Amino acid sequence: MKVKYEDRLKQKMLVITTDTLVVGVDIAKRYHWARFVDYRGFEQSNALKFENNSNGFKTILTRIKEICKQEKLSKVVVGLEPTGHYWKAFANRLTKQNGITVVLVNPYATKQAKELDDNSQTKSDKKDALTIAKLVKDGRYFELYMPDDIYAELRGLATTRTSLNKRKTALKNTIAAVMDEFFPEFEEVFKHPLLGKASRHILKICPFPKFILELGEDGVTEEIKKSVKKTVGTKKAKQLVEVAKESIGVDYGLQAARFKLRLLLDELELLEKQTEELEEHMASALQKIDYAKYLLSIKGIGVVSLATCLGELGDPNRFDNPRQMSRMAGYNLIEDSSGINKSGTKISKRGRKNLRGILYQIALTMVATNPEMKQLYKYLKTRETNPLKKKQALVVISKKVLTLIHTLARKKENYNPDKVFGHVRREQFKEAA
């Protein structure tokens, strides 16, 4: 059953009772600011600036105990923004060692609400802490989820893989820039220079026209044969020499550029090796999840993509329905309308960016390899009423993936093509055929 926003807000507001102390904390690297309010939003103590260390944590806990004793309050709810990574140590200390409820406030909500008290755009950590506290008091927060089991491992591995991929992409772009400057015709011979062993070896040894012409066809052929044992060496060598003669590339600073290129390629190969090792760890971690084998039965989902997805999601069983998972990814639809002006809907993107990224990649694979998703994708783009664009259709597929993950994880069943679509959707397919 779908829970309306108003009902969710009411449930959160009911958590803040007359005996609750609400603490808003603005997180920073070295010092945090805390403000203390009751259920009405009235401040119960002076603002507190405390250090981001053990002594600082003891300071705020002591202040919380003093206020609770003085005002006869029995519950404590601490709200903070999940910006950066500095908040995690503080939240972990409060929840695990002190049993205090910690909730999170969207930084965008803080930005929008901080002008309500003084009608000023002024930003300060001290002011933001009070804004956070009042947002929590009004139920405008979301619950904290800090996985401490296999999902924490998967999240760490997934985050590391994302970082490695970004660095590899940056390196590839830099390598491409070097080749565009010194030998732009190289891709005429090797369309994908970084994919083949032969092309990589050439990039290290004789990447530019001058070095290729010095070696000649026989020399380049010998270099190619050092990396691959194929008969294409002579053909590629001849092509390289031909394009090198007519190259428009820069012909100065070649030694330094070749050295730079070799360092970039060495670093890229190191990152690729690290990625392979990392993905082995992801596969090993995934085996510890009892329902993983059921999710892997979905055609189009691989070990690495599933491990990354679960690392971002956490345990799917903690969600009541797939819509909550979609909202976490930022797939919930929003509309911008006023009076007679009506706009179309779009996804909010107020969610985990990395989760949307991996779901999009899974969707791309599925529409190519999964018959059911391919059928849905085609229908969404070609239906008579409100046909979707390619990216819009892929978002729908991504949301369907979340539904499949939620359903199979709960039921612990293998993927069954006959159960993917309900009666209504199947009838739509028949009408469109």
Side-chain angles (χ1 to χ4, degrees):
M1 180 180 178
K2 185 176 181 179
V3 181
K4 294 182 179 179
Y5 169 77
E6 293 80 4
D7 294 332
R8 290 198 304 270
L9 182 61
K10 183 178 179 181
Q11 291 172 4
K12 292 176 181 178
M13 292 178 67
L14 290 174
V15 172
I16 311 300
T17 56
T18 55
D19 60 345
T20 302
L21 174 66
V22 179
V23 184
V25 180
D26 187 85
I27 300 292
K29 182 176 181 178
R30 301 187 184 280
Y31 295 96
H32 308 322
W33 275 96
R35 304 287 287 267
F36 310 87
V37 303
D38 62 12
Y39 75 101
R40 298 164 297 182
F42 296 156
E43 284 205 75
Q44 300 300 304
S45 177
N46 295 328
L48 174 67
K49 183 180 182 181
F50 62 100
E51 292 182 281
N52 183 26
N53 56 33
S54 181
N55 289 332
F57 295 170
K58 289 177 182 177
T59 300
I60 186 174
L61 288 170
T62 300
R63 176 71 67 87
I64 288 173
K65 290 178 182 178
E66 290 174 353
I67 297 172
C68 287
K69 182 178 180 180
Q70 180 179 341
E71 302 297 331
K72 297 180 180 180
L73 303 174
S74 58
K75 294 195 305 181
V76 180
V77 176
V78 176
L80 46 87
E81 295 176 331
T83 51
H85 55 273
Y86 303 115
W87 65 274
K88 293 182 179 179
F90 181 55
N92 183 67
R93 178 71 172 267
L94 292 180
T95 55
K96 292 185 178 178
Q97 296 187 26
N98 300 94
I100 293 176
T101 300
V102 177
V103 297
L104 304 178
V105 173
N106 192 317
Y108 184 78
T110 305
K111 181 179 179 181
Q112 295 294 100
K114 66 184 179 182
E115 295 184 31
L116 295 177
D117 290 332
D118 56 7
N119 194 32
S120 170
Q121 306 99 314
T122 301
K123 180 190 183 328
S124 70
D125 296 343
K126 183 178 179 181
K127 176 182 176 181
D128 287 352
L130 181 59
T131 303
I132 292 169
K134 291 186 176 181
L135 286 170
V136 173
K137 182 264 298 182
D138 293 335
R140 303 186 186 281
Y141 62 84
F142 55 98
E143 296 178 354
L144 170 69
Y145 174 66
M146 293 184 69
D148 57 359
D149 47 16
I150 191 61
Y151 298 100
E153 299 297 326
L154 285 175
R155 178 170 294 184
L157 292 170
T159 302
T160 304
R161 184 173 180 271
T162 299
S163 177
L164 287 175
N165 285 337
K166 286 181 179 179
R167 288 159 62 189
K168 285 190 293 184
T169 299
L171 281 171
K172 290 176 181 178
N173 291 337
T174 304
I175 292 171
V178 172
M179 294 308 295
D180 287 342
E181 181 179 355
F182 291 92
F183 194 7
E185 298 84 2
F186 191 83
E187 289 189 5
E188 295 179 15
V189 181
F190 296 102
K191 291 185 178 179
H192 304 287
L194 297 177
L195 294 183
K197 293 182 180 179
S199 57
R200 284 203 181 193
H201 184 71
I202 293 297
L203 287 175
K204 287 184 178 181
I205 304 301
C206 51
F208 309 135
K210 177 185 175 181
F211 306 126
I212 291 172
L213 294 176
E214 287 176 354
L215 287 175
E217 287 186 25
D218 292 339
V220 175
T221 301
E222 288 301 315
E223 291 296 339
I224 291 177
K225 288 182 177 179
K226 290 179 182 178
S227 56
V228 290
K229 296 179 180 180
K230 292 184 179 180
T231 58
V232 297
T234 303
K235 182 180 178 181
K236 289 293 184 184
K238 184 178 180 179
Q239 289 177 327
L240 275 174
V241 171
E242 289 176 354
V243 297
K245 291 178 180 178
E246 304 296 330
S247 177
I248 61 170
V250 173
D251 60 358
Y252 53 84
L254 299 180
Q255 294 292 350
R258 179 166 64 172
F259 180 68
K260 175 182 180 181
L261 199 57
R262 183 174 63 79
L263 293 180
L264 292 171
L265 288 166
D266 288 345
E267 186 177 356
L268 178 61
E269 288 172 1
L270 174 61
L271 291 175
E272 289 172 340
K273 183 179 179 181
Q274 291 176 339
T275 301
E276 289 180 8
E277 183 180 356
L278 177 69
E279 290 179 351
E280 290 176 1
H281 281 282
M282 296 177 82
S284 177
L286 196 61
Q287 291 178 357
K288 299 177 183 179
I289 300 178
D290 59 352
Y291 59 78
K293 59 183 179 181
Y294 303 111
L295 301 185
L296 289 172
S297 68
I298 304 173
K299 192 170 183 180
I301 293 185
V303 172
V304 173
S305 58
L306 178 60
T308 304
C309 187
L310 294 180
E312 293 293 332
L313 268 176
D315 187 358
N317 292 314
R318 69 189 180 94
F319 297 96
D320 295 328
N321 56 66
R323 287 185 297 274
Q324 294 175 335
M325 298 164 71
S326 293
R327 181 174 287 274
M328 180 182 179
Y331 280 144
N332 51 302
L333 296 177
I334 58 174
E335 179 182 355
D336 185 14
S337 301
S338 178
I340 61 174
N341 297 318
K342 301 292 182 181
S343 71
T345 56
K346 60 180 180 180
I347 60 173
S348 70
K349 294 187 179 181
R350 297 278 176 80
R352 298 186 70 87
K353 180 180 179 181
N354 290 341
L355 177 57
R356 289 198 305 276
I358 189 61
L359 287 171
Y360 189 79
Q361 293 300 319
I362 292 174
L364 282 173
T365 303
M366 278 196 160
V367 297
T369 62
N370 186 298
E372 293 72 45
M373 296 302 107
K374 186 183 297 185
Q375 183 181 24
L376 176 59
Y377 181 65
K378 180 180 178 181
Y379 166 75
L380 293 170
K381 292 193 303 174
T382 59
R383 62 189 181 186
E384 292 185 5
T385 305
N386 189 29
L388 301 182
K389 297 178 181 178
K390 290 183 179 180
K391 286 189 177 181
Q392 291 174 322
L394 286 171
V395 168
V396 177
I397 300 296
S398 299
K399 295 176 72 173
K400 186 65 177 178
V401 170
L402 289 175
T403 300
L404 290 172
I405 288 175
H406 185 266
T407 302
L408 298 184
R410 282 210 162 186
K411 295 184 176 181
K412 294 186 177 180
E413 294 180 354
N414 283 322
Y415 177 78
N416 186 341
D418 296 331
K419 294 182 179 180
V420 175
F421 303 118
H423 174 73
V424 174
R425 182 67 82 185
R426 288 196 296 270
E427 289 298 317
Q428 290 175 338
F429 292 157
K430 288 180 181 179
E431 292 176 3

